[in-house]
Coordinates of all heavy atoms in Angstrom, one line a residue:
Y1 N 0.8 -1.2 0.0 CA 0.0 0.0 0.0 C 0.9 1.2 0.0 O 2.0 1.2 0.4 CB -0.9 0.0 1.2 CG -0.3 0.2 2.5 CD1 0.0 1.5 3.0 CD2 0.1 -0.9 3.3 CE1 0.6 1.6 4.3 CE2 0.7 -0.8 4.6 CZ 1.0 0.5 5.0 OH 1.6 0.7 6.2
T2 N 0.3 2.3 -0.5 CA 0.9 3.6 -0.4 C -0.2 4.7 -0.5 O -1.3 4.4 -0.9 CB 1.9 3.8 -1.6 OG1 2.6 5.0 -1.4 CG2 1.2 3.9 -2.9
G3 N 0.1 5.9 0.0 CA -0.8 7.0 -0.1 C -0.6 8.1 0.9 O 0.3 7.9 1.8
P4 N -1.3 9.2 0.8 CA -1.1 10.3 1.7 C -1.7 10.1 3.1 O -2.6 9.3 3.3 CB -1.8 11.5 1.0 CG -2.9 10.8 0.2 CD -2.3 9.4 -0.2
S5 N -1.2 10.8 4.1 CA -1.9 10.8 5.4 C -1.7 12.2 6.0 O -0.8 12.9 5.7 CB -1.2 9.8 6.3 OG 0.1 10.2 6.7
L6 N -2.7 12.6 6.8 CA -2.6 13.9 7.5 C -2.7 13.7 9.0 O -3.5 12.9 9.5 CB -3.8 14.7 7.1 CG -3.8 15.3 5.6 CD1 -5.1 16.1 5.4 CD2 -2.6 16.1 5.3
F7 N -1.8 14.4 9.7 CA -1.9 14.5 11.2 C -2.6 15.8 11.5 O -2.2 16.9 11.1 CB -0.5 14.6 11.8 CG 0.2 13.3 12.1 CD1 1.4 13.2 12.6 CD2 -0.5 12.1 11.8 CE1 2.1 12.0 12.9 CE2 0.1 10.9 12.1 CZ 1.4 10.8 12.6
F8 N -3.7 15.7 12.3 CA -4.4 16.9 12.8 C -4.1 17.0 14.3 O -4.6 16.1 15.1 CB -5.9 16.8 12.6 CG -6.3 16.8 11.1 CD1 -6.5 15.7 10.4 CD2 -6.6 18.0 10.5 CE1 -6.8 15.7 9.1 CE2 -6.9 18.1 9.2 CZ -7.1 16.9 8.4
R9 N -3.3 18.0 14.7 CA -2.9 18.1 16.1 C -4.0 18.4 17.0 O -4.8 19.3 16.7 CB -1.7 19.1 16.2 CG -1.2 19.2 17.6 CD 0.0 20.2 17.7 NE -0.2 21.4 17.0 CZ -0.9 22.4 17.6 NH1 -1.3 22.3 18.9 NH2 -1.0 23.6 17.0
L10 N -4.1 17.7 18.1 CA -5.1 18.0 19.1 C -4.6 18.9 20.2 O -3.4 18.8 20.5 CB -5.6 16.7 19.8 CG -6.2 15.6 18.9 CD1 -6.6 14.4 19.7 CD2 -7.5 16.2 18.2
G11 N -5.4 19.8 20.6 CA -4.9 20.8 21.6 C -4.4 22.1 20.9 O -4.0 22.1 19.8
K12 N -4.3 23.1 21.7 CA -3.9 24.4 21.2 C -2.4 24.6 21.4 O -1.8 24.2 22.4 CB -4.6 25.6 21.9 CG -6.1 25.6 21.6 CD -6.8 26.7 22.3 CE -8.3 26.7 22.1 NZ -9.0 27.8 22.8
G13 N -1.8 25.2 20.3 CA -0.3 25.5 20.4 C -0.1 26.9 20.9 O -1.0 27.8 20.7
N14 N 1.0 27.2 21.4 CA 1.4 28.6 21.8 C 2.4 29.1 20.8 O 3.5 28.7 20.7 CB 2.0 28.6 23.2 CG 2.3 30.0 23.8 OD1 2.3 30.9 23.0 ND2 2.5 30.1 25.1
P15 N 1.9 30.1 20.0 CA 2.8 30.6 18.9 C 4.1 31.2 19.4 O 5.0 31.5 18.7 CB 1.9 31.7 18.2 CG 0.9 32.0 19.2 CD 0.7 30.8 20.1
E16 N 4.2 31.5 20.7 CA 5.5 32.1 21.3 C 6.5 31.0 21.6 O 7.6 31.2 21.9 CB 5.2 32.9 22.5 CG 4.4 34.2 22.2 CD 4.2 35.0 23.4 OE1 4.5 34.6 24.5 OE2 3.7 36.2 23.3
Q17 N 6.0 29.7 21.6 CA 6.9 28.6 21.9 C 7.0 27.7 20.7 O 6.3 27.8 19.7 CB 6.3 27.8 23.1 CG 6.2 28.7 24.4 CD 5.5 27.9 25.5 OE1 5.1 26.7 25.3 NE2 5.5 28.5 26.7
T18 N 7.9 26.7 20.8 CA 8.1 25.7 19.8 C 7.0 24.7 19.8 O 6.7 24.1 20.8 CB 9.4 25.0 20.0 OG1 10.5 25.9 20.0 CG2 9.6 23.9 18.9
S19 N 6.2 24.7 18.8 CA 5.0 23.8 18.7 C 4.8 23.3 17.3 O 5.3 23.9 16.4 CB 3.8 24.5 19.2 OG 3.5 25.6 18.4
G20 N 4.1 22.2 17.2 CA 3.8 21.6 15.9 C 2.7 22.4 15.2 O 1.8 23.0 15.8
K21 N 2.7 22.3 13.9 CA 1.6 22.8 13.1 C 0.3 22.1 13.3 O 0.3 20.9 13.7 CB 2.0 22.8 11.6 CG 3.1 23.8 11.2 CD 3.3 23.7 9.7 CE 4.4 24.7 9.3 NZ 4.7 24.6 7.8
S22 N -0.8 22.8 13.1 CA -2.1 22.2 13.3 C -2.4 21.0 12.3 O -3.0 20.0 12.7 CB -3.2 23.2 13.1 OG -3.1 24.3 14.1
V23 N -1.8 21.1 11.1 CA -2.0 20.0 10.1 C -0.6 19.7 9.6 O 0.2 20.6 9.2 CB -2.9 20.5 9.0 CG1 -3.0 19.3 8.0 CG2 -4.2 20.9 9.5
Q24 N -0.3 18.4 9.6 CA 1.0 17.9 9.2 C 0.9 16.8 8.2 O 0.5 15.7 8.6 CB 1.9 17.5 10.4 CG 2.1 18.5 11.5 CD 2.6 18.0 12.8 OE1 3.2 17.0 12.8 NE2 2.5 18.8 13.8
P25 N 1.2 17.0 6.9 CA 1.0 16.0 5.9 C 2.1 15.0 5.9 O 3.2 15.3 6.3 CB 0.9 16.8 4.6 CG 1.8 18.0 4.9 CD 1.6 18.3 6.4
G26 N 1.8 13.9 5.3 CA 2.9 12.8 5.2 C 2.5 11.9 4.1 O 1.4 12.0 3.4
W27 N 3.4 10.9 3.8 CA 3.2 9.9 2.8 C 3.5 8.5 3.4 O 4.6 8.4 3.9 CB 4.0 10.2 1.5 CG 3.5 9.3 0.4 CD1 3.9 8.1 0.0 CD2 2.5 9.7 -0.6 NE1 3.2 7.6 -1.1 CE2 2.4 8.6 -1.4 CE3 1.7 10.8 -0.7 CZ2 1.4 8.6 -2.5 CZ3 0.8 10.8 -1.8 CH2 0.7 9.7 -2.7
D28 N 2.6 7.6 3.2 CA 2.8 6.2 3.8 C 3.2 5.2 2.7 O 2.8 5.3 1.6 CB 1.5 5.7 4.5 CG 1.1 6.6 5.7 OD1 2.0 7.3 6.2 OD2 -0.1 6.5 6.1
L29 N 4.0 4.2 3.2 CA 4.4 3.2 2.3 C 4.6 1.9 3.1 O 5.2 2.0 4.2 CB 5.8 3.5 1.6 CG 6.3 2.5 0.6 CD1 5.4 2.4 -0.6 CD2 7.7 3.0 0.2
G30 N 4.0 0.8 2.7 CA 4.1 -0.4 3.5 C 3.6 -1.7 2.8 O 3.3 -1.7 1.7
L31 N 3.6 -2.8 3.6 CA 3.2 -4.1 3.1 C 2.5 -4.8 4.2 O 2.6 -4.4 5.4 CB 4.4 -4.8 2.6 CG 5.7 -4.9 3.4 CD1 5.6 -6.0 4.5 CD2 6.9 -5.2 2.5
G32 N 1.9 -6.0 3.9 CA 1.2 -6.7 4.9 C 0.6 -8.0 4.4 O 0.9 -8.5 3.3
L33 N -0.3 -8.6 5.1 CA -1.0 -9.8 4.8 C -2.5 -9.6 5.0 O -2.9 -9.1 6.1 CB -0.5 -11.0 5.6 CG 0.8 -11.6 5.2 CD1 1.2 -12.7 6.2 CD2 0.8 -12.2 3.8
D34 N -3.3 -10.1 4.1 CA -4.8 -10.2 4.3 C -5.1 -11.7 4.5 O -4.7 -12.5 3.7 CB -5.5 -9.7 3.0 CG -7.0 -9.7 3.2 OD1 -7.6 -10.8 3.4 OD2 -7.6 -8.7 3.2

């Protein structure tokens, strides 16, 4: 499998401090068994 993924951060960030963005995109790649 492959495809995009989005992280939606829970909780409020403080713009005066180091914090993560509210939305963080990524791309997944993997394998498995059905």
Side-chain angles (χ1 to χ4, degrees):
Y1 68 85
T2 188
S5 70
L6 290 179
F7 274 180
F8 294 91
R9 182 173 53 80
L10 299 176
K12 296 181 180 180
N14 187 341
E16 294 183 352
Q17 299 176 355
T18 302
S19 61
K21 289 181 177 178
S22 299
V23 182
Q24 301 170 19
W27 192 271
D28 296 340
L29 183 65
L31 47 82
L33 283 177
D34 184 295

